[in-house]
């Protein structure tokens, strides 16, 4: 899917029915105009919230956002590009898992809720540095030096709680392998409840799969920035989420390994209100920086620039055709319940 | 030449693996227990009344044997879970003592101010070859279990394990890890000290180790807590051991909204040794004595030792780079997915 499609879809969703102007609006329609802040209960105009990157104008509460909003916010300069990888990789049902409803049915629900085939979007990004508003050179177009290319993964909580199953593991591993080949820095935005139960131990092993490819990235001296966003828990925290050379946490995000309720039940005491929030984790030395959403793009670009200059690792040029090498060809790896397991 | 060989410290082991003791039956074995009670009752009644009960006794004994046979041939994952958590199941230190009877030098501490007792590590010897043995330790009885925190490690435990792995790499010692844990400890302290980061870091660094790593699942291996010492060239599972993304109870309480459905979850999650071999995760299954390892710990320890010797000799000729590559490829190919139609 191209960047243009992302925007088109988003717009279509937001478009209001013009007939509704002269009659009393239904609740649904009201909700399409106004949103209420979860934190301070302020009623906020949806359009303005979109403009403010889904950050409450009253209390600075950062609303949880999905992959498409994130992409829209990051790729705000005209020449910014994003080439998506493995967009059509979707989940199988290796355990033929059924709880209160079949996993296949949950996949369908998740797909319509999130507009995605899986809980992560990956691709190669090129972002251009913002021009300073008061800069004299503001009208001159940005030069190549003012852009940064990097491999980008964005998780989406709306797809089954951003849970990591085989596809999330595979897409991120392919992304990291692509970064390795073309000397690209890697940036992953996490937002996940943890490993996906419906794929059992196969999900658990994705933690190792992503961890081992990051070992290679580490050995190759490439930069990996992990951005932890609301919420990041379980298997993601205990694998690629906390393996960043630099770990950024979005303001107010809840981040942890075990869930708050599980901990409270285990230790039988009340936890502090700010427990497992971004600020709390920074206080305990677990993240490098807590970043306001409005500054995130700028900080990422600065970090990438500084590490690029000092390490001397400049991304190699990569064409869209070359990226096809990192599109998964599922035949050698595909496991179906009837198929013989792949020998390792 | 001085041979360094210290037996495990008293505080860590109270029961040697050889000691055969009365085996506590499991809930799913109840039909068998009832039959056995009936047999005992009849036998003593027959003695008291001097009545010949032989015919009836023979019939009942045959029935008991049939019931036993059936119980274990139809064994469910939930039954295996009971066996895997049996209070008398051989634990890490007991097995260490059995497979490396003359050598065990425990190495303590993470060098950061702590010595987590849920993860134990030290140097042993298998077949004359020094090996680094690291495992999660469940205790025998309440006092020991409290000492070892029921095998639930804190970040300090994973950091200690990593120190020992890197020590082993420096001196070219193969690493054997044994996993029996309900998961990492879900505490406030652990979150503040970065339990997630500690596990993640171990995963990444274990992937880079240039010595052979063999991981054995002894009982239950649950969640990230198992992976923190579980990235290996070969993964073996005891016959009744289970390897799962979340405890069946935890899964049931989330997906079925009640822990009562744990048996269904255990079934649905496909967590047995055979399942994991089919998924290409486990590389071997070590058969347990009939009824579970706790019936004949010594027999089990012998089989484990044989499996480890074989595994170590398989990996002995590989170079460090080959080992790292083999580990990478092993995990690289785990997963299941499909192509969906573009919209």
């Amino acid at each position: 899917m191209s960047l243009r499609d992302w925007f088109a879809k988003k717009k279509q969703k937001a478009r209001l029915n013009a007939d509704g102007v002269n009659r009393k609006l239904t609740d649904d329609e009201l909700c399409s105009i106004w949103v209420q802040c979860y934190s301070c209960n302020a009623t906020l105009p949806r359009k303005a919230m979109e403009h403010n990157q889904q950050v409450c104008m009253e209390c600075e509460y950062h609303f949880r956002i999905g992959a498409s909003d994130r992409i829209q916010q990051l790729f705000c300069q005209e020449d910014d590009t994003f080439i998506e990888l493995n967009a059509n990789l979707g989940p199988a049902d290796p355990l033929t898992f059924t709880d209160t409803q079949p996993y296949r049915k949950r996949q369908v629900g998740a797909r319509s809720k999130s507009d995605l085939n899986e809980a992560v979007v990956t691709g190669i990004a090129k972002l251009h540095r913002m021009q300073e508003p008061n800069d004299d050179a503001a009208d001159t177009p940005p030069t190549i030096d003012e852009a940064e290319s990097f491999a980008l993964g964005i998780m989406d909580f709306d797809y089954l709680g951003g849970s990591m199953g085989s596809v999330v593991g595979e897409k991120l591993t392919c992304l990291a392998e692509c970064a390795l080949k073309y000397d690209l820095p890697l940036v992953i935005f996490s937002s996940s409840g943890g490993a996906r139960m419906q794929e059992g131990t196969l999900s658990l092993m994705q933690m190792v799969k992503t961890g081992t490819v990051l070992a290679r990235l580490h050995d190759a001296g490439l930069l990996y920035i992990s951005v932890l966003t609301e919420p990041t828990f379980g298997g993601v925290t205990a694998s690629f989420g906390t393996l960043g050379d630099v770990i950024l946490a979005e303001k107010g995000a809840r981040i942890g390994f075990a869930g708050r309720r599980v901990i409270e039940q285990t230790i039988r005491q009340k936890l502090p209100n700010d427990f497992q929030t971004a600020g709390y984790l920074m206080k305990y030395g677990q993240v490098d920086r807590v970043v306001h959403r409005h500054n995130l793009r700028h900080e990422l670009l600065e970090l990438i620039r500084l590490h690029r200059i000092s390490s001397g690792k400049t991304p190699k040029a990569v064409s869209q055709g070359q990226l096809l090498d990192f599109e998964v060809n599922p035949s050698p790896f595909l496991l179906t319940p009837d198929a013989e397991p792949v020998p390792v | 030449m001085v041979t360094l060989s210290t037996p495990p410290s008293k505080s860590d082991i109270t029961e040697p693996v050889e000691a055969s003791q009365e085996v506590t039956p499991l809930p799913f074995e109840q039909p068998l227990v009832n039959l056995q009670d009936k047999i005992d009752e009849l036998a003593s009644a027959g003695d008291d009344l001097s009545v010949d009960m032989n015919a009836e006794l023979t019939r009942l004994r045959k029935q008991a044997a049939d019931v036993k046979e059936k119980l274990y041939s139809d064994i469910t994952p939930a039954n295996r879970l009971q066996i895997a958590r049996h209070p008398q199941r051989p634990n890490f230190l007991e097995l260490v003592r059995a497979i490396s009877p003359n050598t065990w030098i425990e190495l303590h501490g993470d060098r950061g101010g702590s010595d987590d007792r849920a993860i134990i590590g030290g140097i042993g010897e298998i077949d004359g070859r020094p090996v680094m043995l690291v495992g999660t330790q469940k205790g025998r009885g309440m006092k020991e279990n409290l000492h070892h925190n029921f095998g639930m490690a804190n970040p300090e435990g994973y950091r200690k394990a990593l120190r020992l792995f890197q020590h082993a790499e420096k001196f070219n010692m193969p690493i054997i890890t044994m996993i029996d844990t309900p998961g990492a400890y879900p505490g406030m302290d652990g979150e503040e000290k970065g339990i997630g980061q500690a596990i993640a870091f171990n995963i990444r660094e274990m992937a880079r180790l240039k010595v052979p790593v063999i991981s054995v699942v002894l009982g239950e291996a649950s969640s990230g807590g198992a992976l923190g010492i579980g990235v290996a060239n070969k993964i073996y599972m005891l016959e009744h051991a289970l390897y799962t993304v979340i405890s069946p109870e935890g899964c049931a309480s989330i997906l079925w909204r009640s822990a009562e459905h744990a048996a269904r979850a255990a079934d649905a999650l496909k967590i047995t040794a055979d399942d994991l071999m089919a998924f290409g995760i486990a590389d071997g299954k070590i058969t347990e004595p009939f009824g579970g390892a706790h019936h004949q710990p010594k027999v089990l320890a012998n089989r484990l030792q044989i499996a480890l010797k074989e595994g170590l000799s398989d990996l002995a000729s590989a170079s460090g780079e080959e080992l790292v590559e083999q580990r990478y490829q092993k995990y690289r190919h785990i997963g299941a997915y499909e192509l969906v139609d573009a919209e």
Side-chain angles (χ1 to χ4, degrees):
Chain A
M1 190 185 290
S2 76
L3 200 56
R4 198 184 305 251
D5 295 338
W6 278 100
F7 293 125
K9 209 180 236 180
K10 196 74 208 160
K11 251 185 209 151
Q12 197 181 348
K13 261 191 167 175
R15 195 172 294 147
L16 261 173
N17 187 353
D19 304 339
V21 178
N22 291 325
R23 60 178 167 82
K24 205 173 172 211
L25 296 174
T26 64
D27 282 356
D28 274 358
E29 283 165 334
L30 277 174
C31 283
S32 70
I33 302 172
W34 300 100
V35 283
Q36 193 166 32
C37 175
Y38 298 108
S39 178
C40 68
N41 287 331
T43 305
L44 309 155
R46 191 174 284 273
K47 269 263 174 314
M49 278 295 282
E50 245 170 61
H51 187 71
N52 204 36
Q53 302 190 334
Q54 308 290 350
V55 176
C56 175
M57 279 81 83
E58 304 289 328
C59 71
E60 299 280 297
Y61 174 79
H62 287 44
F63 281 48
R64 189 184 80 218
I65 58 172
S68 70
D69 278 347
R70 182 73 69 186
I71 286 173
Q72 202 164 20
Q73 290 175 11
L74 284 177
F75 295 81
C76 55
Q77 297 286 85
E78 203 163 311
D79 295 336
D80 292 347
T81 56
F82 180 64
I83 306 168
E84 196 178 351
L85 280 173
N86 290 312
N88 57 349
L89 203 60
D93 184 13
L95 314 185
T96 47
F97 194 95
T98 299
D99 48 89
T100 49
Q101 51 173 294
Y103 179 35
R104 284 290 188 196
K105 204 171 157 197
R106 284 191 190 273
Q107 291 172 4
V108 174
R111 195 173 163 177
S112 68
K113 185 177 174 192
S114 65
D115 259 341
L116 296 170
N117 288 330
E118 252 290 352
V120 71
V121 176
T122 58
I124 306 302
K126 189 171 187 181
L127 292 189
H128 296 78
R129 228 168 289 287
M130 294 265 201
Q131 298 295 312
E132 293 296 329
N134 297 330
D135 198 341
D136 294 339
D139 342 297
T140 55
T143 62
I144 291 181
D145 272 337
E146 286 161 336
E148 300 288 352
S149 294
F150 55 96
L152 173 65
I154 302 172
M155 300 189 80
D156 194 312
F157 196 80
D158 277 346
Y159 193 100
L160 291 177
S163 56
M164 170 161 63
S166 302
V167 177
V168 171
E170 184 64 27
K171 283 177 83 167
L172 288 174
T173 307
C174 287
L175 183 72
E177 285 176 337
C178 181
L180 261 174
K181 179 149 186 198
Y182 294 101
D183 283 345
L184 293 160
L186 174 67
V187 177
I188 298 177
F189 284 76
S190 301
S191 176
S192 170
R196 187 173 299 166
M197 287 176 283
Q198 289 88 347
E199 291 182 29
T201 318
L202 289 170
S203 295
L204 187 70
M205 293 300 150
Q206 304 308 310
M207 293 168 63
V208 185
K209 189 151 108 181
T210 52
T212 50
V213 76
L214 289 174
R216 291 194 162 188
L217 216 67
H218 179 74
D219 286 341
L222 290 166
L223 173 69
Y224 165 39
I225 301 175
S226 172
V227 188
L228 307 176
T229 71
E230 165 73 9
T232 302
F233 277 87
V236 169
T237 304
S239 61
F240 60 86
T242 48
L243 285 174
D245 296 299
V246 179
I247 304 175
L248 304 179
E250 202 170 49
K251 191 169 184 281
R254 286 171 300 165
I255 300 150
F257 178 63
R260 187 187 175 96
R261 204 160 42 93
V262 174
I263 298 172
E264 278 184 338
Q265 281 166 0
T266 308
I267 65 174
R268 295 198 184 82
Q269 61 185 50
K270 200 104 180 75
L271 294 164
N273 277 339
D274 63 343
F275 184 66
Q276 292 183 324
T277 57
Y280 190 89
L281 287 191
M282 190 165 79
K283 191 167 98 187
Y284 283 94
Q286 301 304 331
V287 299
D288 287 289
R289 292 178 67 75
V290 176
V291 185
H292 193 289
R293 191 172 285 163
H294 293 168
N295 301 332
L296 199 48
R297 185 183 193 276
H298 176 72
E299 290 223 4
L300 278 176
L301 286 174
E302 277 301 276
L303 281 166
I304 292 171
R305 182 179 69 87
L306 293 167
H307 288 87
R308 172 171 55 76
I309 292 171
S310 60
S311 71
K313 288 234 178 247
T314 318
K316 294 174 194 151
V318 49
S319 71
Q320 198 149 0
Q322 286 166 315
L323 286 179
L324 289 178
D325 294 348
F326 297 93
E327 293 277 341
V328 172
N329 170 16
S331 52
F333 310 138
L334 184 68
L335 280 168
T336 61
D338 323 310
E340 282 294 302
V342 181
V344 177
Chain B
M1 196 181 92
V2 183
T3 322
L4 282 170
S5 64
T6 17
S9 66
K10 277 250 159 57
S11 68
D12 286 333
I13 292 193
T14 49
E15 291 295 327
V17 91
E18 296 86 356
S20 63
Q21 43 187 324
E22 187 98 349
V23 169
T24 320
L26 290 163
F28 83 95
E29 294 173 318
Q30 202 53 46
L32 199 59
V33 175
N34 294 346
L35 263 173
Q36 196 56 50
D37 286 350
K38 213 165 159 187
I39 292 169
D40 293 347
E41 203 178 298
L42 262 181
S44 66
D47 287 348
D48 293 348
L49 300 169
S50 325
V51 188
D52 187 12
M53 296 279 192
N54 272 343
E56 181 66 5
L57 276 175
T58 318
R59 192 186 65 78
L60 278 176
R61 287 204 178 102
K62 183 167 182 318
Q63 197 186 339
D66 289 348
V67 168
K68 198 170 173 182
E69 188 65 39
K70 190 155 166 43
L71 268 184
Y72 281 93
S73 61
D74 299 347
I75 190 164
T76 65
N79 296 156
R80 287 188 206 273
L81 192 62
Q82 290 176 15
I83 298 177
R85 290 176 182 167
H86 195 287
Q88 287 155 313
R89 190 161 178 86
N91 63 36
F92 169 64
L93 281 170
E94 290 168 357
L95 288 169
V96 163
R97 183 161 163 181
I99 61 173
S100 171
N102 301 319
T103 313
W104 170 246
I105 302 171
E106 184 178 344
L107 302 173
H108 291 263
D110 67 349
R111 300 294 185 273
S114 187
D115 180 34
D116 194 330
R117 301 310 294 156
I119 290 183
I120 308 278
I123 302 171
E125 216 170 352
I126 292 178
D127 233 5
R129 174 108 211 237
V131 289
M132 179 64 76
L133 294 148
V134 176
T136 51
Q137 174 69 10
K138 280 188 182 174
R140 178 83 57 243
M142 187 50 82
K143 201 177 152 199
E144 271 190 50
N145 258 318
L146 287 171
H147 180 61
H148 295 296
N149 201 24
F150 298 87
M152 292 185 285
N154 276 299
E156 296 88 336
Y158 294 101
R159 289 173 183 143
K160 169 167 86 172
L162 181 61
R163 183 179 75 83
L164 299 181
F165 296 150
Q166 287 169 341
H167 176 96
E169 185 181 36
K170 179 174 174 186
F171 297 100
N172 197 27
M173 265 179 218
I175 296 165
I176 293 166
T177 70
M178 299 197 198
I179 305 171
D180 189 6
T181 178
Y185 183 68
M188 187 172 160
D189 208 37
E191 295 287 326
E192 288 166 359
K193 290 179 177 159
I195 182 67
Q197 190 273 347
I199 291 171
F201 198 64
N202 275 23
I203 291 173
R204 191 182 86 183
E205 293 305 306
M206 284 189 89
R208 304 171 71 223
L209 290 169
K210 292 195 167 63
V211 288
V213 186
I214 297 179
S215 189
V216 187
V217 185
L218 301 180
E220 51 179 337
S222 226
S223 160
L227 292 182
I229 58 165
V231 180
N233 294 95
K234 284 175 187 285
I235 298 174
Y236 296 150
M237 290 181 70
L238 301 197
E239 184 184 352
H240 299 302
L242 305 166
Y243 208 148
T244 179
V245 62
I246 180 172
S247 73
E249 291 82 0
C251 176
S253 62
I254 296 171
L255 291 181
W256 281 271
R257 310 222 169 265
S258 156
E260 283 165 26
H261 293 282
R264 284 172 72 180
D267 203 37
L269 284 167
K270 304 242 177 11
I271 53 180
T272 67
D274 288 334
D275 292 328
L276 287 237
M277 283 173 73
F279 290 134
I281 297 169
D283 300 281
K285 177 172 80 170
I286 298 166
T287 315
E288 294 186 29
F290 191 80
H294 55 285
H295 285 276
Q296 289 169 294
K298 218 175 166 183
V299 173
L300 187 268
N302 280 339
R303 290 180 190 165
L304 174 62
Q305 194 182 33
I306 291 166
L308 288 174
K309 277 182 192 170
E310 275 177 17
L312 287 174
S313 67
D314 278 357
L315 297 169
S317 60
S319 70
E321 283 72 25
E322 284 167 347
L323 289 166
V324 172
E325 179 65 21
Q326 188 267 343
R327 225 175 283 135
Y328 186 81
Q329 293 303 338
K330 173 179 170 63
Y331 290 99
R332 183 68 188 85
H333 291 178
I334 296 174
Y337 29 79
E338 295 174 354
L339 289 182
V340 289
D341 300 330
E343 287 169 70

